[in-house]
Each structure stands twice: as C-alpha cells, then as structure tokens.
Amino acid sequence: MSEIEPARLPEPPYYAVIFTSVRTNGDNGYAQRAEEMLRLAAKQPGFPGGYGGGQPPCREGGVDSTRGAEGLGITVSYWRDEESIKAWRAQADHTRARAAGRAHWYASYELHVARVERSYGFTR
Amino acid sequence: MSEIEPARLPEPPYYAVIFTSVRTNGDNGYAQRAEEMLRLAAKQPGFPGGYGGGQPPCREGGVDSTRGAEGLGITVSYWRDEESIKAWRAQADHTRARAAGRAHWYASYELHVARVERSYGFTR
C-alpha cells in the first residue's frame, strides 16, 4: 500500500486543524460535499500542496484523511498560518457545509486548532 | 455508531502528536505491540483521560486512532505539555517499539508535534 503518498508540507511552524468525527447513518449528500470542500479548501490562500481531486479518504496536498470501519474519521488539514484558517472558516460555501454537517452528517465531532512546532517523517 | 465517545481532554493549551502512517503487509506482531504501547502511554505523566484497554482503532482517553481500508492510519495522542511528550519518547519500551516500526511495520510515516490553541466539539 506504499503508493499512498504523505501530505506535502512546509517547514514548521505551520498549523494543523485536527477534525475527529463520527458520522450519522447514510450518506445524505455527504460524499459529494466533502469532495467539493476539499477542492475549495485547496484554492484558499495558505493551504499547502494543492489537492489532486480524489475522494476522501486521501492523503495528499494539505490534508490527511481517513475513516475506519468502526466509524471514527480523522481529517487533519494543514495551513500556513492562523489567518488562513480563519479565512477558510469564513468562506461562505464552507460555512453552509458546516451547518449541514451539524444538521445531517455528524453524530459528534471535535476540532482542535494547533500550531505544529516540529515534524519528521520516514519512508522505507 | 454514536456509541463511540470522543477523547476526554483538558482545556487548551495542550499538545497533540499527529502520527500518520502506511503499514507494510501483514501483522508482524504489530497489533499486540500497539495495544501495549497504548497501555504504557496511559501510565505516563501528562497523558490525559487514561485508556480503557481496547484494541486500536479506538477513541478514548488521550488518543484518537483509526485506519481506513485504503491503508492510511492516523493516530492523534494528546498530552499536557512538551515535557510529557519528551518523557514518553525516552521511555525504553517505546523506543524499542519505534525501532521495530521502522524495521517491520511501517512503509512510511510522518509525525507532527503541535500545540493545541483552541478546540470545540459537537454532539447530536
């Protein structure tokens, strides 16, 4: 499975938004909207690496995202700075998608905004 | 799937260690060692919420962990401060497990150490 490539990231410090969630039952329009949000996020200033256009789960550009069979999803998006995160939070389509998330898609979620102070990687 | 409960966390600031990985093929002793590492981490100072003893994937105490069918795993462990992270990094069993990870279990991984500055949640 080593064809999955890691997110391409700048040198620290940068920011990570950790979003952990449990879905409601059924799709309810989630999959299409999730892909739209990734495409839109990749157009925002301060979102490193772009986005290749795959469906989540994915691991590319400025996002690592996966969901296990038990139902827990973790998406980590990476941003250049806090201002970039705030601008994405204010983006109108994203604001509507978050409202739909609370109304339809998520049983629960938590979001952590964090400043990455160091990072390293390993590739076989 | 709403029986899955979120990680129980203190008020920010706290630290998050984001570990994204792609496994090699086969178990090679990974599952047992991963559970041992969670049990040991929960005994470390500065690991909030304890650990109930389930196999990963899990979402409890100081850790959110999942792996999707495509092979990408994301584990986020939460810590009170940087000193707690450094102490866990120096723990002897954990040091040996990391070496085994590079030798056997992981095709690739990245690790990001980040200071959580704000967080919030939603429950239906």
Side-chain angles (χ1 to χ4, degrees):
Chain A
M1 293 185 284
S2 55
E3 74 278 10
I4 299 176
E5 291 296 317
R8 298 179 294 280
L9 297 171
E11 289 296 303
Y14 50 88
Y15 278 76
V17 178
I18 305 162
F19 180 75
T20 59
S21 66
V22 177
R23 291 281 315 281
T24 52
N25 292 322
D27 182 70
N28 307 311
Y30 168 81
Q32 182 183 341
R33 191 65 64 89
E35 186 184 348
E36 288 172 9
M37 286 304 110
L38 276 171
R39 290 184 185 279
L40 287 172
K43 295 178 182 172
Q44 290 287 122
F47 185 88
Y51 171 60
Q55 285 269 357
C58 57
R59 183 185 218 191
E60 55 178 326
V63 67
D64 288 325
S65 182
T66 195
R67 185 175 300 277
E70 83 294 352
L72 175 62
I74 305 179
T75 295
V76 187
S77 60
Y78 302 96
W79 300 85
R80 190 176 54 210
D81 49 32
E82 282 241 71
E83 289 64 37
S84 305
I85 294 171
K86 287 175 181 168
W88 172 234
R89 185 173 168 79
Q91 204 270 6
D93 295 303
H94 184 209
T95 298
R96 280 191 289 274
R98 290 201 308 280
R102 290 186 294 271
H104 303 298
W105 300 325
Y106 296 116
S108 65
Y109 63 72
E110 291 81 50
L111 187 144
H112 313 262
V113 178
R115 181 181 188 270
V116 176
E117 301 188 341
R118 60 184 183 277
S119 60
Y120 56 87
F122 163 81
T123 300
R124 183 167 301 276
Chain B
M1 294 183 283
S2 56
E3 74 278 8
I4 299 176
E5 291 296 319
R8 297 179 295 278
L9 297 171
E11 289 295 304
Y14 51 88
Y15 278 76
V17 178
I18 305 163
F19 180 75
T20 59
S21 65
V22 177
R23 291 279 315 281
T24 51
N25 292 322
D27 182 71
N28 307 313
Y30 168 81
Q32 182 183 340
R33 191 65 64 89
E35 186 182 350
E36 288 172 9
M37 287 303 112
L38 276 171
R39 290 183 184 279
L40 287 173
K43 295 178 181 172
Q44 291 287 121
F47 185 88
Y51 171 61
Q55 285 269 357
C58 57
R59 184 185 216 190
E60 55 178 322
V63 67
D64 287 325
S65 182
T66 194
R67 186 174 300 276
E70 83 293 352
L72 175 62
I74 305 179
T75 296
V76 188
S77 60
Y78 302 96
W79 299 85
R80 190 176 54 211
D81 49 33
E82 282 240 72
E83 288 64 39
S84 304
I85 294 171
K86 288 175 182 168
W88 173 233
R89 185 173 168 79
Q91 203 269 7
D93 295 304
H94 184 209
T95 298
R96 281 191 289 273
R98 290 201 309 281
R102 289 186 294 272
H104 305 297
W105 301 325
Y106 296 115
S108 65
Y109 62 73
E110 291 81 49
L111 187 143
H112 312 263
V113 178
R115 181 181 188 271
V116 177
E117 301 189 340
R118 60 182 184 278
S119 60
Y120 55 89
F122 163 81
T123 301
R124 183 167 299 278

